[in-house]
Amino acid sequence: MRRVALGAGSRRGLLKAAVCLLVALCAGCATGAERRRESILEPLFSIAGARLVTRVDIAGGSTADAIGAYVPLVFPVAVAASFNDIYIADAGTSRLYRYDRTLDAMAVMPVANISRATKLQVGPDGSIYVLDPFASEIRRYARSGKQLPAVRPRQATSRYDNFTVDSLTGKGYAVDSAHLVIDEIQPLGQFAIDFMRLDEAGPIATDGRGLFVASTRCGCVVEWIQGRQGRRFGSGKLRQPLSLGVDGPNVFVLDGFDRSIALVHEEGIEAMSAAALGMVTPESLAATGGMILIADGAGHRVSAFRVKSRRAR
């Protein structure tokens, strides 16, 4: 066989082609791996705005003739859901909306001072709890918008900056970052009691059986049952827990460091980037009824997903 001598330029060309092929193959592998890793959540629907309900009855209901023009979301920062209602705190308009999935329309709740720090939770009766961290007060409203008695801090120097409500019993738990304690709030009560001490304040959630507190110290989520520390989820993997949600066997964390969404386990985490989920800057999340709802501020929408593969805690 006759050999053909290659010049320096030809050898460089072949080498460059081989490198490009190798990079392309590696990129393809990485993309495939990323796809597999990012496939935990499946999109259900998104809300970028809706027609505005102009009037509601005593139960919060409305009719087709009471629905007006379309209103877009500007900068949604918090979300909570109950039955067919999705509550959305929009810091861009300083409004709290109740989106009715049946009507595909939303009503404005008579709530003032909606800011980027606003937190939302729903009660067993469908009422909405609104935390204003600056006033350190938890206000509560019926579905119709009627204001119900507010829950004020246990002490004048307390500062509530995160809270959760048990969807079955209505019992609430608020994180007092000034005194590093969790206060327990009785159902429909207007007072709070010292429940347990904390090493640091962080996002909190409950599944009705125990409390889950996210911590930057351990980079994890700690489960507490009757005031005693239990399991840890995602130890050392979370950098800046910003929002926490628990639904059945699934524990979700929004990491403020890179705005990724993580499904956390005792053995680690499965993280999904905001971009892979079609979002820009997630601000908070809520997990309920087999769904995870995420408020995407700069994306001007709330997105809903379901878990495609479940793993036991």
Side-chain angles (χ1 to χ4, degrees):
M1 181 182 292
R2 183 182 177 185
R3 294 184 178 181
V4 178
L6 296 176
S10 299
R11 288 196 296 272
R12 282 196 299 270
L14 287 174
L15 180 59
K16 183 177 180 180
V19 169
C20 289
L21 179 60
L22 181 60
V23 169
L25 289 173
C26 290
C29 294
T31 302
E34 183 73 8
R35 259 192 225 108
R36 290 191 293 273
R37 188 171 66 87
E38 301 285 5
S39 66
I40 303 166
L41 296 180
E42 180 178 45
L44 291 177
F45 59 88
S46 66
I47 306 166
R51 295 173 299 161
L52 205 62
V53 174
T54 56
R55 65 179 183 274
V56 297
D57 57 30
I58 193 171
S62 185
T63 55
D65 62 347
I67 298 178
Y70 179 89
V71 174
L73 296 178
V74 178
F75 200 91
V77 294
V79 60
S82 175
F83 308 110
N84 280 328
D85 291 331
I86 297 176
Y87 292 93
I88 304 169
D90 190 342
T93 58
S94 194
R95 283 177 167 181
L96 175 64
Y97 296 110
R98 177 177 58 80
Y99 173 79
D100 188 322
R101 292 181 64 188
T102 303
L103 294 175
D104 187 23
M106 57 190 188
V108 178
M109 302 291 288
V111 181
N113 301 322
I114 295 296
S115 70
R116 195 165 183 173
T118 296
K119 304 291 191 301
L120 301 178
Q121 292 286 326
V122 291
D125 59 352
S127 59
I128 182 71
Y129 293 75
V130 184
L131 171 61
D132 177 4
F134 300 109
S136 196
E137 178 184 73
I138 300 173
R139 300 189 297 274
R140 182 169 167 254
Y141 300 84
R143 186 175 186 271
S144 63
K146 178 183 177 182
Q147 187 165 1
L148 303 172
V151 177
R152 291 177 174 81
R154 183 171 48 86
Q155 302 182 56
T157 55
S158 294
R159 178 178 172 81
Y160 288 167
D161 56 12
N162 223 299
F163 79 119
T164 186
V165 176
D166 187 334
S167 61
L168 295 178
T169 67
K171 186 178 293 186
Y173 300 90
V175 176
D176 181 351
S177 60
H179 299 96
L180 291 181
V181 298
I182 293 178
D183 285 350
E184 180 182 285
I185 304 165
Q186 294 303 312
L188 309 182
Q190 300 177 51
F191 63 92
I193 59 174
D194 187 335
F195 179 69
M196 60 177 278
R197 298 283 168 177
L198 291 172
D199 292 329
E200 66 170 323
I204 185 175
T206 182
D207 64 353
R209 184 176 63 93
L211 288 176
F212 297 80
V213 183
S215 167
T216 55
R217 287 191 178 185
C218 67
C220 70
V221 175
V222 182
E223 178 187 39
W224 295 84
I225 299 178
Q226 297 180 346
R228 295 185 177 182
Q229 185 173 323
R231 296 170 292 175
R232 292 190 174 200
F233 303 92
S235 291
K237 302 296 184 180
L238 302 174
R239 288 168 286 188
Q240 187 184 337
L242 186 63
S243 184
L244 173 64
V246 179
D247 182 37
N250 298 312
V251 180
F252 290 99
V253 177
L254 166 59
D255 195 327
F257 180 81
D258 57 5
R259 302 295 172 137
S260 61
I261 307 297
L263 178 61
V264 299
H265 315 288
E266 289 183 82
E267 65 273 19
I269 70 172
E270 295 176 72
M272 296 148 279
S273 68
L277 294 173
M279 294 183 292
V280 183
T281 56
E283 298 289 329
S284 69
L285 61 81
T288 180
M291 292 191 306
I292 174 172
L293 296 159
I294 304 173
D296 182 7
H300 319 298
R301 67 183 60 242
V302 168
S303 297
F305 303 86
R306 74 174 179 88
V307 181
K308 295 176 66 175
S309 58
R310 294 183 180 274
R311 300 182 60 172
R313 286 205 299 260

